[in-house]
Amino acid sequence: MRVVVKVGSSTLTHPNTGLLNIRRMESLCRVLSDIKNEGNELILVSSGAIAMGMGKLGLKDKPDTLPGKQAVASIGQCELMYTYDKLFSEYNHTVGQVLLTKEDIEHRKENCINTIEKLLKYSCIPIINENDTISTSEIEIGDNDTLGAVVSKSLNANLYIILSDINGLYTSDPSKEKNAKLIQVVDTIDDSILKLAGDSSSKVGTGGMITKLQAAQIVTKANCDMVIANGKNPDILYDIMENQFIGTLFKKEVKE
C-alpha cells in the first residue's frame, strides 16, 4: 500500500513555546518506520519549518514580512530535516528532502513525480514540504493539507492521512458546542459537509478544516481514501492502517 502522511506544525511542537515536541516526534518516526517495515510505501508531508525556526530564534509570533518568514523557514527547515534524519536512521531508514512550490507542481510535475518515485524505489522515505524559503504569493501552495492531497493524487496513493490537533470532522465546532459529535465516515463531500468547516484555531499552522475538506475532495476523486485524526498519539496510525474507525474517514469515490 502507498500511504501519504501529513503532519502539522501543531502536532510537532509544544503549543506554549513553539519548540519541538521531542517525545511525540520520536514516537511518530518509530511508528512510521514500523509501518514501512510492514511493506508499505511511505511518503511524509511535514509542516513545521516556520514553527521550528520561531522556536530556535525564541520568537513568539510569526514575522509579519515575507523576508522574515522565509528566513525563519530556512532556519527551521534545517532543524526539521536534521531531526527526521537522526530519528529515522535509528530504525535503519533513509530520508530524502523534497521542497516544492506551486510552480513546481504545475510546470515541473513530471520531474517531481519521477524524483519521488525514484526515492521510493531506493526504499527511502521522501519528506515533502512547501519551499517556504523561496515561495511568494504567486507560487506558494498555501498549506500542506493541499500539498499532501496533490502529492497523493499525483503518486496514485491508496491512503492519505492528515494528523492534526483535532480528532476529525464534527457536526459543529466542539470548542463551542458541547453536543458536537464526531463524524466517523463521510461518503460524499457535498455542501452540507463543506458548511461544517470552521477557521483554524492554531497559532502555528496555516490550514483549518476547510483546507482539509478541500484536500479530501482532491484525493477522493482520485481513487484515494483520506483520514483526519488527532496526532497527539502517533500510535493511532496503527489503528488507521488496520481499518479501525479512528478520526474521520473520507471514502474514495466509486467509479462506475
Side-chain angles (χ1 to χ4, degrees), residues 79-99:
E79 181 92 348
L80 187 65
M81 285 307 301
Y82 168 78
T83 305
Y84 276 131
D85 184 56
K86 182 176 183 294
L87 292 175
F88 277 115
S89 66
E90 293 179 0
Y91 301 100
N92 298 314
H93 288 301
T94 301
V95 301
Q97 176 178 259
V98 181
L99 298 178

Side-chain angles (χ1 to χ4, degrees), residues 2 112-124 126 155:
R2 179 168 289 187
C112 296
I113 293 173
N114 289 342
T115 298
I116 297 170
E117 288 282 6
K118 183 61 71 172
L119 286 169
L120 292 172
K121 285 186 178 180
Y122 285 149
S123 196
C124 295
L155 292 166

Side-chain angles (χ1 to χ4, degrees), residues 54-75:
M54 288 169 57
K56 194 157 190 178
L57 292 172
L59 303 177
K60 293 184 178 180
D61 300 304
K62 284 184 184 178
D64 54 9
T65 66
L66 181 60
K69 292 176 183 177
Q70 292 177 326
V72 170
S74 175
I75 294 168

Side-chain angles (χ1 to χ4, degrees), residues 56-241:
K56 194 157 190 178
L57 292 172
L59 303 177
K60 293 184 178 180
D61 300 304
K62 284 184 184 178
D64 54 9
T65 66
L66 181 60
K69 292 176 183 177
Q70 292 177 326
V72 170
S74 175
I75 294 168
Q77 187 65 32
C78 294
E79 181 92 348
L80 187 65
M81 285 307 301
Y82 168 78
T83 305
Y84 276 131
D85 184 56
K86 182 176 183 294
L87 292 175
F88 277 115
S89 66
E90 293 179 0
Y91 301 100
N92 298 314
H93 288 301
T94 301
V95 301
Q97 176 178 259
V98 181
L99 298 178
L100 299 175
T101 65
K102 185 178 180 182
E103 188 176 56
D104 294 326
I105 293 173
E106 291 181 347
H107 302 295
R108 292 182 284 272
K109 183 177 179 180
E110 185 175 352
N111 289 343
C112 296
I113 293 173
N114 289 342
T115 298
I116 297 170
E117 288 282 6
K118 183 61 71 172
L119 286 169
L120 292 172
K121 285 186 178 180
Y122 285 149
S123 196
C124 295
I125 299 174
I127 299 181
I128 303 173
N129 196 0
E130 182 166 6
N131 197 342
D132 293 316
T133 301
I134 68 167
S135 291
T136 65
S137 60
E138 290 80 16
I139 63 172
E140 67 181 6
I141 298 161
D143 65 90
N144 276 349
D145 295 331
T146 301
L147 175 59
V150 173
V151 167
S152 298
K153 176 182 178 181
S154 301
L155 292 166
N156 299 312
N158 304 107
L159 177 62
Y160 176 35
I161 303 171
I162 295 180
L163 295 183
S164 186
D165 56 356
I166 54 175
N167 295 327
L169 178 66
Y170 282 82
T171 54
S172 57
D173 189 342
S175 65
K176 299 177 181 178
E177 300 288 340
K178 64 178 181 179
N179 294 323
K181 295 181 179 180
L182 180 67
I183 301 173
Q184 290 188 320
V185 179
V186 174
D187 293 302
T188 304
I189 305 170
D190 53 22
D191 289 342
S192 65
I193 294 295
L194 293 174
K195 288 179 181 178
L196 299 176
D199 296 328
S200 173
S201 60
S202 172
K203 294 181 179 179
V204 293
T206 56
M209 182 54 71
I210 186 61
T211 67
K212 292 170 177 57
L213 294 182
Q214 290 168 347
Q217 287 180 308
I218 293 171
V219 299
T220 54
K221 290 179 181 178
N223 199 36
C224 177
D225 291 325
M226 188 183 106
V227 173
I228 301 174
N230 199 313
K232 65 181 179 181
N233 181 9
D235 280 5
I236 65 167
L237 287 167
Y238 288 126
D239 297 326
I240 294 172
M241 294 297 294

